[in-house]
Structure formats: structure tokens, C-alpha cells
Amino acid sequence: MSKKNQPVQLPYEEIIKEDDVIPKEIDVLEKILRDLFHNCSDFRLKRFKHFKSNTEYLLAWMDGMSDKTAMREHVVEGIINVEKDMLTNSNLTDGVIPIIDIKREKNFKKTIDELMTGSPILILDGTGEAIIMGLIAIESRNVTESTNENNVRGPKEAFTETLRTNGALIRKKIHTPNLKLEEKIVGKVTKTKILIVYIDGIANPSIIEEVKNRINKIDIDSVLESVYIEEFIEDNKFSVFPQIEHTEKPDKIAAALLEGRISILVDGSPTVIIVPTVFACFLQSAEDYYERYIYTSFVRVLRFTYINISLLFPSIYIATTTFHPEMIPTKLLLTIEASREGIPFPAFIEALIMEVTFEVLREAGVRLPRAIGQTISIVGALVIGQAAVQAGIVSPAMVIVVSTTAIASFSIPAYNVSFALRLLKFPIMFLAASLGFYGIMSALLILLVHLCRLKSFGVPYLSGFAPFIAEEIKDTFFRGPWWWMYNRPRIFQPKQTKRQSVKKILQNAYLKWLGEE
Amino acid sequence: MYGIIHYRQLIYLQFLVILPTALLFLPSLIAEQAKQGAWVSVLLACLIGLITAMLILWLDKKFPNKNLIEINEILFGKIGRVVAGLLITWTIVHTNSVIIREFSEFMKLSILPQTPIWMFVIIKLIIVIYAVHSGLEIIGRMADFITPIILLSILVFLLFIAQNADGLNLLPLFGTGAKGILKGSIIPSTWFSEIFLASFLLPHIKQKNKKTFSLIFSMLFITVVLLIIFTIVMAVIGVELTARLSLPIFISSSLGTTLFFEHLDIVFVSVWILGATIKIIIFSYLGIISLGQTFKMKNEKHLILPLCLLMGILSISLFSNQMDILHYIKNTFPYHFFIVSLALPALSLSVSYIRRTK
């Protein structure tokens, strides 16, 4: 193996090898541990003595991660009362220590790994075996209302930073042993736990296998957020379009699992990713399914308009005003031209100034603390909106165009798609300024080739539209009523497709109308 | 480069191969000869198209999952493969250069009069290279996405202009008589016989039992769409004008729009660009595939850049102006194209029967 391809190694891996066992002598062990945790101020090691049998034992834990009260009450006090001959590892784990989550471990490295996750370890002198107690008590955020994905109707709770809580939030919605939460550890230094969640029997086994393969190939020192995983496992790593959906709402994950998709939870991140993802997923919000279907279908149709507006509106404005003014009705054209009177820049430069300003404003508004954020909006609205127009730098028409585009881009449920569209807006604007509608169409065609090329875990990115699947219209262009959703979306190639038995609701309604029911 | 396509995508691909340029050039070319009898000419042309389709299907039945070049190898050996392959490649490449030039000329004429031709050619070739490199499956998906848009906008276009239609413009029903109709049907037959290209697509279709249906259906579908459009356009602007204008549909699209927006011709040109680009992509793809098959190349992707460059250069240097192209289309193109689209399949078929090859 060349030096470049060697896995990450830290001093700890050199001291304790993969197959090392725990030394029997407690003194040796203590020295090794003290060396290992040199300068770790949160590492605690205490030697106790069991006076009835004159045996020494060792308790090690990480301060702030372990439940000290429970350790005193159940472990130390429990051992004091043990009779002389009863102090063996098997007795301790079989009931002397009143803890449920308790196990024995001989491997040194695994023991240390468990210690690092917060489990206290107990080692009796001369046994060479550690008792690992799951008394983890790490401070973490409570389950709270989702802040980034709001809805009026429907569940509001959101994931937290704790992996187990997140898993439980999903399990809370799908009560079946078929819901699998497979654990993997990624990150050579951070040793982050991730969960691969799917419903056995619904999700496509080959896609599950593919997900596992791709995750196994990841070789990185740290995984701090689910986007690390996302960027490693996505199909096209150079595309501007997000190919993996993410959410912080357990109900959305549950719905995705029931469609036969697979989600990946990363410890320490409240954002959960879902694969495979197609473009249509980004146009569906969780609330679509909690509101009545007629209204939601209307919203879905609107969203397609938004997408086109947020991608193309400035470009169309530039193309029409510079190349094809005859398209605009005469009266409107006169108004636009009058408002552009005295503006020194061509429409493209004007649009560029305003769009860039808007992007900066948006970025500033997101990052700033709330108190200062208000200043930004005032500065943005007054100084840039009104003053720029009055000073004759930009035309009022352009302000309308830019703000409409901005609103449209915000109304797309998935903001990572609106990032992509907003980025693409600039090259399209440039093409529109140089080649008019021909430039716009060329850009769209290149975009179409790109989107048709994209795949997410074997599923074409534009599935539903291209390849067109007639059955899926009810969940792409519109949102069909629940009683119509007989099957899971075929897009995700689920193993088992049936959602409900066909009840012939329309036929029954017709019979009722005839009075023959 | 290959991949599997749905039979619906095959229909769409055929539709997009024939319709876009047919819409642009055929009305005036047919009306010039056949006058009001243009609809009979279209039907006759459809008959030629159906014959081509039958030849291809027949060959496909006799040599399952083989394309025209492979069939010629079976019949005539290596020399047959090379000769037929080069002939087909040259026809496709040359026709594609003409299409690219037609397209660019139309763009220049209709929306960007001051832009040089090579600008259009280069941008088109960039799209073509990207799409062809992606392979047949992606091209099929693009057709899947684009065709509904095109059909919808044709419908809107017809609704817009139909208000100015005058049924009397369509009389007398048979125009100047049989001679004109026959003369008028030669050029559209060329377009319809482009369906022989399906020989290269049929082996990649997913639903093997839908081959006949998809070819015949696409032929009839295109005919119906063309007939409706021609009839309405002729009823709107009259036969004389249709024959005299070089791009009657484009002109008529700017006529009858009385809604809020005026001159929606640019919107229709934009949609047309979509269709025409797919046509150019398919022709380029097939040109590259057939050259690769001719020399049994393992990776046809090597051919993408040189062949696209060749087509670009040809499209700029073959003709000097729009009239030149029209002259070529009227006088040379049909006979040039029929050699490959009709004569070659017919020859292969008859030889296979004479030799009783299986």
C-alpha cells in the first residue's frame, strides 16, 4: 500500500492494536490507561478494594458523560455487599450490579471505544476482562418543535443531536420489527455512529446493499454532520443539484421509509438524509400530505411555476427587453421603457447588480443574530430597494423582477434545490443577455441533458417526468387523495408495492349517484 | 452509448426526428406543387413512410435485434458491412449537417438576425456532444420530457391561429390535380422515410412485442399532426401565401395572437428549438453509432468529437445561404436520401430472400 492510501492512524492506534486483550495485572492496566489518557482532564480512574475478598478493582469513566449517582448506588455499593467467593465477572454481570445494559469484553480496543462513548468500565484484578456498563448520561437538547420546516397541521417534533433519540422517534411512528436500524461506525478519529434505517420487505434489497457498500467505502477521519455522508455517497459528485434529500422531521422520514426509501442518521446531527431521491421529492413538503388534497394539488401546480420563475424570470426579462421587445404589449413596453429612462446600465448589468445584492442580503440575514438581522432588512428594503431606484441606478421594473424571483425561490419547499436554481440563474442570465431566447433555450437543453443523466442509487433523477410514469402523476404534478394511493411510488422500486387494497371509490360514488347502492 | 428505451420513447423519438423540420419546410414545398391538394400529398408520403417502416420491421423479424449494417454484414460479408455502413453514415452525417444549417439559418432569420451562423452551430454542437456522450437512454428520457411540451404548445398554437381560419381557402380539395399532388409528395416522402433510422433503435427497445405498434403508430401519429397543422395554416394564410413564404408556420404564428401578449412567435420558436435539437442529437448519435458499427469499434465515444466537428464544418461550408439549402432540398436531397432509406433496406430484404439466409 502506498503512503497516500494508508488509513488514518493516531498514537492511540499504535499503543493498542486491533486484537490486543486487556492485561490481567491491574497495575499494568492502570499505567497503560494513565499513559493513554495523559492530559485528558475529563478522564477518571479510581481503584477500589473489595475488603471481603481483598480483591482490587478499577473503575474508569469519562467525567460529564457518565451517570455518577448510578455508579455509586448500583456499582460501588453493590460490590461492597458481595460475599467473598461471589466476586466474579459472571456474577457481577448476571445480577449483582443492578444495571440492565451491562456486558463483558476482553478486547482492549473495543473496551476503550466503549469508554469513549461514555460507558463506565469496571475491571477486576487478575481477570483481564472489562465490564462495560451503559450508564451514559450526556447532556443533550430535548425534542423540540422543528424550526426549519414548519407546518400548520401535522406532527411538529424534530430530530435532536442524539442518535438513539432520533432512532426512537422513527420507531415511535412505525411499530414493526421490520423497521431495521443498522448501526455502522464511520470516521477513523471521531468514530461516529450512523444508522441505516429501512423497512425490511418494503425497501429494495439491492438499493440497501448499494447504500451499505458506499458507506463502507468512506475513509475519512471525521463525520460531524450528515452532509459528510451525503457528499460521499451521492452519485454525481460534480452536480449543482442535490441528489439526496434531507429533513429534520421524523414524520417525513417515516413517510419516506414507507415509500421504500432508506434513511441515514448520523450521531450528532439533527439532519437526516434520505436515499434514493428524485427531483420530484424536492417539490413535496410534509404538509402536502396533511392538508386536503385539492388545495395541495393546486399548491403543487403553483410550485412548478415557482421553479420556472426562480430559474428564468430575470433571464426572460433581459431577453425580452434587449432582443424581443415586440413580445411585450405596447402599453406595458412603454411603461417599462419609461421606467428605464436614464438608467445607465444595460438590463443584464442592472439585473446582475440587483441579484448579487439580493444574494448578499440573504446570506447576511441568515447568519446574523436576530437583533442585528432586523437592521439588514431595513437597509435592504430602504437603501437598496428604494434609494437605488430613486437614484436612477436601477429601474423599478428590475426591482419587481428580482423580488418576484426571490419570493419564488423561497417558496420551493427544499431550500437546497433553490440554492441550485439560484446559482444556475446567473449563467442563464448571461446567455440571455448575449443570445436572447436562443441562449435561454440552449441553457435549458444543457440543463435537461444534465438532469436526465443524473441518477440517485440507480433511480433516474427526473423519474416521473423522464422516464414518464403515468401512474406517478398523482404524486408529482398533483397530490392524489390518500384513498387513491393504492401503490407505493414505483419510482423508488420498492420490493413490495401495495399500499392498500383497491376499493373502487369512484365506481361506488357513481353507483351512489345512480341510487343503486 | 447504448441503453434500453421504452417503446413510448421510441415513438417520441420518431416523432421528434420527423416533425420539427417537417413543420418548418414542408408546408411551402408541398403547397408550391400540390396547392390545395397538399393533404393528399401528405397521405401519399405517409404511405412511403409506412412502406419504409414495413421494410425495417420485416428485416427486423428476419434478423432479430440486428441493425441495417449488421444485416448487410450477414448478407454480403465484410465488404457489405463497410459499404453499407459508409453509405448510411455519410447520408446521416450529410443530412445532419443540412439540418444544423437549416436550424441555424432559421434562428438567424427569425430571432437573431445579427449573429453569425457559426455561433449557432457551435452552441448546438456543445449540446449535441454532451447529449450523445450520455447515450441513447438519456436521449430517450429527454424525448420523454420534451414531447408533451411540444404537443401542448402545438395545441395552443393551433387554438391561437384557428380564429383566423377561412375554410374557403382549402377549396378546391384536390388543388391542381394528380400531377401536382404526386410531385408534391416526393419531398415529404423523404421526411417520412427517415423512419428507417428506427433500424438502429429497435434492438434497444424494452418491450420487444411493441416494435410494430410503435413504428406504425408513430407514422400515423405524425401524419395526423402534420395534416391538422397544414390544413389550419393553409386555411389561415391561404395557399398562395403558404407556397410563396419560405417559413409559413413561423409567419402565421405571429398573426392571430390577440391575448395580452403579442407576437408569441418567439415562444413557439423556443419550443421548436427543443424539438429540433433532439432531432439533431438523434441524427448525430446515429451517425456516430453507424460509423462505429462499420469499423466494429469497441468504444464509439472516440468518434463523438471528430464527427461532431466534421458536421459543424460541413454545415457551415456546404451552403452559402437559405436559397441554396432550399434548392438542395428540392432537387437533390430526396434522391440522395431514398438510396439509403428505401433502396438499401429493400435490397437487403430481397437478397435475403434470394439467398434464403436466416
Side-chain angles (χ1 to χ4, degrees):
Chain A
M1 218 192 293
S2 72
K3 209 175 180 186
K4 255 186 181 173
N5 289 329
Q6 265 171 15
V8 195
Q9 281 239 330
L10 288 181
Y12 150 62
E13 268 92 5
E14 283 158 24
I15 296 172
I16 299 171
K17 298 281 180 320
E18 200 69 48
D19 300 321
D20 280 4
V21 288
I22 300 170
K24 291 209 161 134
E25 312 291 310
I26 200 166
D27 295 319
V28 181
L29 179 70
E30 190 183 343
K31 194 178 174 303
I32 295 177
L33 283 178
R34 294 247 185 240
D35 279 352
L36 198 59
F37 289 97
H38 170 68
N39 277 357
C40 296
S41 61
D42 59 339
F43 175 69
R44 293 281 187 275
L45 194 150
K46 178 83 184 73
R47 278 172 83 150
F48 291 95
K49 199 165 188 183
H50 182 244
F51 288 99
K52 285 183 182 163
S53 65
N54 216 12
T55 321
E56 275 195 295
Y57 66 94
L58 185 145
L59 198 60
W61 73 97
M62 304 307 290
D63 201 26
M65 292 175 92
S66 310
D67 187 351
K68 276 195 275 188
T69 329
M71 275 159 67
R72 177 175 57 76
E73 283 175 2
H74 305 319
V75 184
V76 182
E77 285 178 12
I79 290 178
I80 286 174
N81 301 327
V82 175
E83 292 306 318
K84 189 181 171 188
D85 301 335
M86 295 292 282
L87 191 67
T88 61
N89 272 340
S90 58
N91 280 349
L92 286 181
T93 49
D94 287 350
V96 172
I97 301 176
I99 298 171
I100 302 165
D101 190 359
I102 190 164
K103 64 181 177 194
R104 286 150 53 182
E105 179 63 62
K106 278 207 162 81
N107 187 305
F108 203 3
K109 190 154 189 274
K110 279 182 188 162
T111 312
I112 299 292
D113 287 345
E114 289 283 349
L115 178 63
M116 293 324 297
T117 64
S119 305
I121 57 170
L122 185 150
I123 297 166
L124 285 181
D125 192 14
T127 53
E129 191 176 50
I131 295 170
I132 297 162
M133 294 161 291
L135 295 173
I136 308 173
I138 306 175
E139 286 300 320
S140 60
R141 199 163 60 96
N142 287 330
V143 177
T144 50
E145 201 170 308
S146 163
T147 47
N148 298 335
E149 294 165 64
N150 300 321
N151 52 343
V152 181
R153 187 173 169 178
K156 293 188 172 58
E157 62 190 6
F159 286 121
T160 69
E161 281 79 5
T162 323
L163 190 65
R164 272 289 158 237
T165 318
N166 292 352
L169 283 176
I170 299 174
R171 177 78 70 185
K172 203 170 98 179
K173 297 202 179 281
I174 305 172
H175 304 275
T176 163
N178 284 336
L179 175 70
K180 307 290 182 198
L181 296 96
E182 275 187 47
E183 193 172 289
K184 273 193 190 308
I185 289 174
V186 186
K188 293 276 151 37
V189 177
T190 57
K191 300 209 174 10
T192 312
K193 279 183 190 159
I194 65 169
L195 288 182
I196 303 171
V197 185
Y198 57 90
I199 298 181
D200 196 19
I202 293 180
N204 188 329
S206 63
I207 297 181
I208 299 173
E209 208 47 47
E210 181 65 30
V211 171
K212 285 185 200 163
N213 278 342
R214 290 191 194 179
I215 287 177
N216 286 339
K217 275 183 197 150
I218 300 176
D219 174 36
I220 191 177
D221 62 339
S222 60
V223 176
L224 301 178
E225 221 284 334
S226 46
V227 76
Y228 287 54
I229 305 284
E230 181 179 331
E231 287 186 5
F232 274 111
I233 65 174
E234 67 190 353
D235 286 61
N236 187 334
K237 294 179 172 59
F238 306 101
S239 175
V240 66
F241 285 94
Q243 294 142 63
I244 291 175
E245 200 184 0
H246 64 78
T247 180
E248 54 170 20
K249 286 167 71 65
D251 51 317
K252 208 170 169 181
I253 295 292
L257 294 175
L258 287 164
E259 283 177 347
R261 296 164 76 191
I262 298 153
S263 69
I264 299 161
L265 283 71
V266 175
D267 197 11
S269 164
T271 315
V272 178
I273 55 180
I274 315 171
V275 295
T277 298
V278 299
F279 190 71
C281 295
F282 294 112
L283 300 179
Q284 304 166 345
S285 81
E287 195 169 4
D288 285 3
Y289 299 93
Y290 307 143
E291 283 295 345
R292 288 187 35 79
Y293 68 94
I294 298 175
Y295 172 69
T296 316
S297 299
F298 167 67
V299 173
R300 283 270 168 91
V301 175
L302 269 189
R303 267 182 211 146
F304 282 96
T305 329
Y306 298 159
I307 282 201
N308 288 318
I309 289 178
S310 74
L311 184 66
L312 295 175
F313 197 29
S315 316
I316 289 176
Y317 176 81
I318 293 170
T320 40
T321 49
T322 11
F323 288 94
H324 317 291
E326 74 275 9
M327 258 182 85
I328 312 171
T330 322
K331 275 184 187 170
L332 181 61
L333 183 65
L334 286 177
T335 324
I336 292 176
E337 284 305 316
S339 78
R340 280 187 51 88
E341 184 81 48
I343 307 290
F345 306 114
F348 171 60
I349 301 293
E350 208 187 339
L352 204 62
I353 293 173
M354 287 310 282
E355 287 290 350
V356 170
T357 317
F358 164 70
E359 292 296 323
V360 174
L361 269 179
R362 193 201 57 80
E363 186 59 24
V366 172
R367 303 278 163 258
L368 279 179
R370 214 161 280 169
I372 317 174
Q374 301 228 321
T375 332
I376 289 291
S377 49
I378 292 169
V379 169
L382 283 183
V383 178
I384 295 168
Q386 208 173 347
V389 170
Q390 279 178 356
I393 295 171
V394 291
S395 64
M398 184 52 82
V399 175
I400 295 174
V401 169
V402 171
S403 43
T404 316
T405 315
I407 294 168
S409 82
F410 286 132
S411 51
I412 300 166
Y415 65 90
N416 46 1
V417 164
S418 79
F419 284 158
L421 295 180
R422 288 222 300 274
L423 275 181
L424 288 170
K425 191 170 61 184
F426 291 100
I428 298 182
M429 265 160 59
F430 177 73
L431 279 171
S434 44
L435 289 165
F437 271 87
Y438 180 67
I440 297 180
M441 291 323 278
S442 304
L444 286 182
L445 275 163
I446 290 179
L447 206 59
L448 181 64
V449 183
H450 177 69
L451 284 173
C452 286
R453 272 175 85 113
L454 283 185
K455 275 191 167 191
S456 180
F457 290 85
V459 178
Y461 195 55
L462 282 184
S463 285
F465 311 110
F468 180 75
I469 304 171
E471 202 189 332
E472 302 308 334
I473 287 184
K474 64 174 180 286
D475 205 15
T476 51
F477 286 106
F478 309 107
R479 202 281 274 173
W482 275 114
W483 45 259
W484 192 20
M485 307 259 193
Y486 304 131
N487 295 322
R488 302 176 206 290
R490 277 204 295 152
I491 296 172
F492 303 116
Q493 302 154 9
K495 194 179 169 192
Q496 191 260 76
T497 48
K498 204 170 173 188
R499 235 184 224 279
Q500 55 183 315
S501 48
V502 180
K503 289 216 187 75
K504 295 182 181 168
I505 294 203
L506 288 178
Q507 202 180 327
N508 289 348
Y510 183 61
L511 286 178
K512 201 173 174 184
W513 184 72
L514 290 177
E516 285 178 6
E517 201 184 25
Chain B
M1 284 295 272
Y2 299 100
I4 289 181
I5 56 171
H6 195 271
Y7 78 95
R8 182 191 63 246
Q9 291 172 343
L10 180 69
I11 295 176
Y12 285 173
L13 285 176
Q14 293 300 336
F15 180 77
L16 292 175
V17 159
I18 296 176
L19 197 78
T21 42
L23 277 183
L24 202 61
F25 289 95
L26 287 189
S28 83
L29 291 176
I30 305 175
E32 201 181 348
Q33 302 286 346
K35 306 292 175 197
Q36 286 89 342
W39 62 277
V40 194
S41 296
V42 174
L43 285 180
L44 282 178
C46 169
L47 200 65
I48 301 285
L50 282 175
I51 291 171
T52 320
M54 296 308 274
L55 283 176
I56 294 300
L57 287 168
W58 205 336
L59 277 173
D60 187 72
K61 209 168 190 178
K62 217 159 158 31
F63 307 92
N65 294 333
K66 292 266 186 291
N67 62 35
L68 212 45
I69 296 176
E70 290 163 336
I71 291 170
N72 271 290
E73 186 179 16
I74 296 171
L75 290 175
F76 304 107
K78 203 173 163 188
I79 298 168
R81 185 189 78 216
V82 173
V83 170
L86 285 179
L87 200 61
I88 292 172
T89 310
W90 174 246
T91 310
I92 294 176
V93 167
H94 188 266
T95 311
N96 198 25
S97 313
V98 178
I99 300 167
I100 295 176
R101 182 57 185 265
E102 275 170 8
F103 173 87
S104 312
E105 285 287 347
F106 176 50
M107 285 297 113
K108 193 174 161 68
L109 193 77
S110 61
I111 53 177
L112 293 169
Q114 281 156 344
T115 313
I117 283 290
W118 56 263
M119 190 73 193
F120 299 107
V121 176
I122 286 175
I123 291 181
K124 198 86 299 177
L125 285 180
I126 291 172
I127 301 172
V128 165
I129 290 169
Y130 191 27
V132 168
H133 180 266
S134 314
L136 183 60
E137 206 170 318
I138 275 86
I139 300 175
R141 273 185 225 147
M142 288 173 72
D144 230 349
F145 193 88
I146 284 174
T147 313
I149 298 176
I150 289 183
L151 286 176
L152 197 71
S153 42
I154 286 179
L155 193 71
V156 174
F157 162 75
L158 291 179
L159 287 178
F160 268 132
I161 68 163
Q163 55 190 336
N164 300 331
D166 180 4
L168 288 178
N169 279 339
L170 299 172
L171 294 176
L173 267 179
F174 292 97
T176 50
K179 205 179 165 192
I181 287 172
L182 281 176
K183 265 189 175 172
S185 68
I186 293 175
I187 297 169
S189 307
T190 332
W191 259 265
F192 279 92
S193 70
E194 275 170 8
I195 202 160
F196 93 97
L197 296 171
S199 169
F200 292 90
L201 302 176
L202 281 178
H204 306 293
I205 188 170
K206 192 176 170 189
Q207 293 86 350
K208 299 283 178 205
N209 55 345
K210 296 272 191 183
K211 283 178 178 171
T212 316
F213 169 78
S214 38
L215 282 203
I216 303 295
F217 178 82
S218 53
M219 213 66 251
L220 296 177
F221 184 58
I222 294 160
T223 313
V224 169
V225 173
L226 276 182
L227 270 184
I228 294 174
I229 296 175
F230 285 7
T231 316
I232 292 184
V233 167
M234 257 186 230
V236 170
I237 60 174
V239 174
E240 283 311 312
L241 212 51
T242 314
R244 205 173 302 152
L245 294 169
S246 54
L247 307 166
I249 292 205
F250 173 60
I251 304 295
S252 61
S253 71
S254 60
L255 278 181
T257 50
T258 51
L259 268 180
F260 173 69
F261 278 103
E262 293 161 17
H263 292 283
L264 279 178
D265 41 351
I266 284 144
V267 177
F268 293 115
V269 171
S270 304
V271 176
W272 183 84
I273 292 173
L274 292 177
T277 309
I278 299 285
K279 172 162 187 164
I280 295 170
I281 289 172
I282 299 166
F283 265 80
S284 313
Y285 171 80
L286 291 176
I288 285 154
I289 287 297
S290 60
L291 188 59
Q293 298 253 328
T294 309
F295 298 111
K296 294 222 160 166
M297 288 186 70
K298 282 205 181 75
N299 187 0
E300 284 102 339
K301 284 185 180 175
H302 291 300
L303 293 170
I304 296 178
L305 288 177
L307 219 57
C308 283
L309 198 65
L310 176 70
M311 286 187 279
I313 294 169
L314 278 181
S315 69
I316 293 173
S317 59
L318 274 180
F319 306 101
S320 53
N321 55 36
Q322 173 84 14
M323 293 326 291
D324 230 12
I325 305 174
L326 275 181
H327 186 263
Y328 168 76
I329 291 177
K330 273 186 209 166
N331 300 318
T332 322
F333 177 57
Y335 313 105
H336 178 185
F337 203 81
F338 282 147
I339 294 175
V340 172
S341 67
L342 271 174
L344 191 63
L347 180 74
S348 311
L349 195 64
S350 40
V351 168
S352 78
Y353 268 91
I354 294 166
R355 289 198 174 177
R356 308 214 174 144
T357 338
K358 273 192 180 175

